[in-house]
Amino acid sequence: MSANLPEEDLSCPVCCEIFQDPVLLPCSHSFCRSCLEHFWESTVIRSCPVCRRRASKKSPASNRALKNLCEAFLLGRGQGSASGSNILCWRHGEKLKLFCLVDQEPICVVCQASKMHKGHDCSPTEEAALDCKYKMTAAMKALQCKLEIFNKARKSSAITLEHIKGQAKRVERQMKNEFLKLHQFLYEEEEHRLSALKEEEERKVAAVKNRDDDNAQRISSLADMIRTMEQTINAEDLTLLQNFKAILDGTWTTFQAPEGISGSLLNESNHLGNLKYKVWEKMQAVAPYSPVILDPNTAHPCLTLSDDLTSLRYSTPNQGLPSNPERFHISAEVLGCTAFSSASHGWEIEVGDNEDWILGLASERVKRDQEVPARPENGFWTICLRDGQYRAMASPPTAVKVEEKLQRVLVQLNWDRGEVIFSNPSRQEILYTFKHVFTEKLLPYFYTQSKHPLRILSKPVLVST
């Protein structure tokens, strides 16, 4: 039915185009909603653009019936007018020969002259198609790059997941081994202390029994003497007088009354007093304290860390490590796991036969994805052994004189005073001192390209009350 209606009956009186979202005024005239609103913006009184009759202040109602007719008309015209590869304008039935650069859509010559596209820059469809293909090709390449980045991210996620699972299994195994050692120590310590208790019990019981046996013998002797005296007393007078001196001068006068002996009971305080503390104090032999623990999540793939995370050495690269942001990716570096931002701290490193190392402190913000000199301007305060020479990595590097090959290096940080001191603990001499006003957290820093390990030495735990 809509195909039989003349096009002018389905055209807006304002823009002369097929109605788009038509609205109906009380005067029965219809307009495109946008055309009516644009007309009302230029007038003081809201009125009909055709008959000038005043309209209601309320938003005009949509003319759904007219909208359906327009859509049916445009659909029928578009289907009936398509020819080969030339798609016709759905508004005017003309060939789409131009491309509006403002609205980014193909239009016909009538559209170019209409109010909708009047004054807009246009170009021929062939030329516009080439430009659009070029832009879409560039956009597609950018999307392909992003796609590749996301694919790499997914692969990295898969590697990270596998690494986390491996970490969990390895840490669980090591934790069980450590607790097994503690359990074994506690079991042996328990057996030792119970054995000491049993030994003291046997010794004290034996001593009491010996005293008791001695007293039993004395009781028997005294009883015999008493019976002798009773017999003598009941004997004839001459017999009593004959034996009197011998009986009174006998050994019974030498018997002394038994006395309580101190220390005969078990020393409970020795066995129970501060028992847990004594065991803990003795446990330090199997549970040493390390002032610095290495962070394996920062370690370069070429570094191998010990199970207790207190030593490192250079080795074959581990290809299965995830490329996480905390990790050093260029050179064989690793950081400690605890950051310092106040007070004083110190730790001792055994360098031994290692001939290629850098030790010290680094800012938590040092770059992990590029190689930079380990100097203060880059957030490092370090000394090194390289090519047989000891240097303080200042700006410029400064030679450090030592009388003999260093076996250990003591690193001391006084964050509040802004000092990093390196010294030789065997000779108690300072090698070099950095001075700096620290504003960021600092982390212990280690570097090596030697198969000989660097070891962080344990420290005794001192308890004060």
Side-chain angles (χ1 to χ4, degrees), residues 234-340:
N234 295 327
E236 295 181 355
D237 293 342
L238 183 59
T239 302
L240 183 148
L241 293 174
Q242 288 176 340
N243 298 326
F244 173 76
K245 184 176 185 311
I247 292 175
L248 288 183
D249 293 340
T251 57
W252 69 272
T253 57
T254 62
F255 282 86
Q256 296 181 355
E259 297 180 358
I261 301 176
S262 62
S264 60
L265 301 181
L266 292 179
N267 191 347
E268 293 187 38
S269 59
N270 182 53
H271 295 287
L272 297 178
N274 287 324
L275 176 60
K276 290 188 286 294
Y277 171 79
K278 291 177 181 178
V279 174
W280 170 82
E281 189 177 37
K282 192 174 179 181
M283 191 182 292
Q284 292 186 58
V286 296
Y289 167 75
S290 177
V292 170
I293 299 297
L294 301 174
D295 183 359
N297 294 335
T298 67
H300 186 272
C302 286
L303 290 180
T304 297
L305 309 185
S306 61
D307 289 344
D308 61 358
L309 304 178
T310 59
S311 72
L312 65 147
R313 61 182 177 83
Y314 193 81
S315 62
T316 304
N318 184 349
Q319 302 295 341
L321 293 177
S323 181
N324 52 304
E326 301 91 347
R327 191 176 306 281
F328 286 96
H329 301 288
I330 306 300
S331 57
E333 303 164 275
V334 65
L335 297 175
C337 65
T338 302
F340 306 127

Side-chain angles (χ1 to χ4, degrees), residues 137-246:
T137 301
M140 184 176 65
K141 288 183 179 179
L143 290 176
Q144 288 174 339
C145 290
K146 289 185 178 180
L147 178 62
E148 185 177 354
I149 291 173
F150 279 104
N151 284 332
K152 287 183 178 179
R154 290 209 64 192
K155 290 181 181 178
S156 177
S157 297
I159 295 174
T160 301
L161 288 174
E162 287 300 317
H163 185 71
I164 291 173
K165 293 178 182 178
Q167 273 185 314
K169 290 181 180 179
R170 185 179 67 256
V171 171
E172 179 182 1
R173 182 175 62 255
Q174 292 177 198
M175 286 179 65
K176 287 183 177 180
N177 289 337
E178 293 299 319
F179 274 103
L180 185 62
K181 293 177 183 178
L182 294 178
H183 294 161
Q184 183 65 25
F185 168 81
L186 291 175
Y187 173 77
E188 293 176 355
E189 185 67 15
E190 179 187 10
E191 290 296 314
H192 171 73
R193 290 183 178 273
L194 289 176
S195 177
L197 173 63
K198 188 67 176 178
E199 181 182 347
E200 183 182 4
E201 178 192 6
E202 293 175 351
R203 187 174 65 255
K204 295 294 178 70
V205 167
V208 172
K209 285 184 177 181
N210 289 336
R211 289 197 302 272
D212 186 63
D213 291 343
D214 183 63
N215 289 333
Q217 291 178 0
R218 291 170 182 256
I219 291 172
S220 178
S221 299
L222 289 172
D224 291 341
M225 290 181 182
I226 291 172
R227 282 195 300 271
T228 302
M229 285 183 176
E230 288 179 346
Q231 292 175 358
T232 304
I233 290 173
N234 295 327
E236 295 181 355
D237 293 342
L238 183 59
T239 302
L240 183 148
L241 293 174
Q242 288 176 340
N243 298 326
F244 173 76
K245 184 176 185 311

